[in-house]
Amino acid sequence: MPSVAKFIDLSRSHGLGKVAQVALGRELNRLFPGPLRSRIMPSLHELDQAAVETHRDAASVLTSLGVDAGISTEAQRVSEQASAWGVSHARFPMNWGVEKETATFLYEFIRAVRPQRVLETGVANGTSSYVILSALSANGHGELVTTDIEPSIHGDMPEELAARWTYVHLQDRTPERVMPGVFASHGPYDVYFHDADHSYLGQRFEYHQAWEHLLDGGWFLSDDIDFSTAWIEFTREKDLSPIHLVDGRKVLGVARKGAPLQLDVPRSAHP
């Protein structure tokens, strides 16, 4: 059984376009999920080798990025609130959501970077959406655009947070048909956060589409980069120098487009 990477190379050599590659690969993955999945999940060693730095706590990642405030009680409070909110509105297994250190990182990161627009793919129970919206609200500006194949939980989000949220319900469950239009119509954006389809083909396709509409100097984030080799391959193709956060049972990747990974001027997340 050939790996998905070999399948991609074979399809390219026969002149198939990117959409056709993903569509055919998705069908192959559906028919033979076990053998394919077992060959494309990277080890922690491989992920470590692909990163300029690997950390196990949010504070260390933030320090590497030039955020000098450390972890605030505000971030800890929002992380706990988001987790409790996700539990109370759970429609999916709780292990689908971001881990605690990742939630804390997202809050402090958004507070420091102060983006105008964040695009998030995948919402599950809404934990990461709650965190990002809370940070944008504290900043006093910025909006979050979230996409998912499930109906919106927009109405359940606290009103002061929902005011900054655009929820895009994907009626068509085939990403290669709908996502290019979503990225084009809701871009450009300052921060992209992937937390949707974590299959190799799903991640690889989405990364390339999202990259095209990310602003220069924008931030490229992905949860669950340990689910496939797509992150490793993509960051190498783009000559990026990512930082990884090993957070419990998941790994978060952080990269930047066309600019050093560190902020130009060290800043506090709480000016």
Side-chain angles (χ1 to χ4, degrees):
M1 174 68 63
S3 67
V4 172
K6 289 180 179 178
F7 169 78
I8 289 284
D9 291 337
L10 182 63
S11 63
R12 281 176 178 160
S13 68
H14 284 75
L16 294 181
K18 189 179 295 183
V19 171
Q21 292 171 27
V22 173
L24 289 173
R26 190 179 298 280
E27 182 64 14
L28 190 62
N29 195 38
R30 182 185 68 81
L31 294 172
F32 305 102
L36 286 174
R37 192 171 297 119
S38 67
R39 291 173 184 245
I40 61 177
M41 293 183 69
S43 66
L44 288 178
H45 175 72
E46 290 173 314
L47 285 166
D48 185 56
Q49 292 296 306
V52 291
E53 295 180 23
T54 300
H55 299 288
R56 295 182 180 274
D57 63 277
S60 296
V61 178
L62 290 163
T63 298
S64 294
L65 298 180
V67 181
D68 59 7
I71 302 302
S72 66
T73 55
E74 179 183 321
Q76 295 171 340
R77 174 181 57 80
V78 170
S79 178
E80 292 172 359
Q81 288 176 341
S83 178
W85 187 87
V87 170
S88 66
H89 294 80
R91 302 176 300 166
F92 303 99
M94 288 307 300
N95 62 5
W96 285 21
V98 295
E99 294 285 294
K100 182 178 179 180
E101 289 296 318
T102 298
T104 302
F105 166 78
L106 285 173
Y107 184 82
E108 297 283 21
F109 173 78
I110 296 296
R111 289 285 276 127
V113 174
R114 303 181 67 81
Q116 184 60 42
R117 178 174 293 174
V118 180
L119 194 144
E120 171 193 42
T121 59
V123 65
N125 296 321
T127 303
S128 58
S129 303
Y130 188 105
V131 169
I132 294 170
L133 287 167
S134 296
L136 293 173
S137 179
N139 286 346
H141 77 278
E143 65 172 322
L144 171 66
V145 178
T146 300
T147 70
D148 204 286
I149 59 175
E150 297 296 331
S152 174
I153 58 172
H154 186 284
D156 296 327
M157 190 68 71
E159 184 176 352
E160 67 275 14
L161 301 184
R164 297 185 179 275
W165 198 18
T166 298
Y167 190 95
V168 181
H169 179 206
L170 305 176
Q171 302 286 344
D172 189 328
R173 292 177 175 243
T174 310
E176 55 268 23
R177 284 204 292 261
V178 299
M179 292 310 292
V182 169
F183 289 128
S185 61
H186 292 283
Y189 31 86
D190 312 275
V191 176
Y192 159 74
F193 178 51
H194 166 84
D195 200 13
D197 180 0
H198 301 314
S199 68
Y200 172 86
L201 291 160
Q203 288 181 321
R204 187 174 178 88
F205 180 78
E206 188 176 299
Y207 290 163
H208 281 277
Q209 292 294 319
W211 185 261
E212 294 180 12
H213 302 282
L214 180 68
L215 289 168
D216 285 340
W219 297 85
F220 197 84
L221 280 61
S222 177
D223 201 16
D224 297 291
I225 63 171
D226 52 315
F227 271 46
S228 85
T229 58
W231 173 266
I232 294 176
E233 294 175 13
F234 181 82
T235 53
R236 284 176 178 166
E237 289 171 7
K238 298 297 184 183
D239 196 26
L240 304 177
S241 301
I243 291 178
H244 295 168
L245 171 59
V246 179
D247 188 5
R249 58 195 169 73
K250 296 187 173 190
V251 184
L252 173 76
V254 181
R256 197 176 184 190
K257 182 177 182 179
L261 198 55
Q262 291 73 25
L263 294 173
D264 298 332
V265 179
R267 67 186 72 167
S268 168
H270 309 279

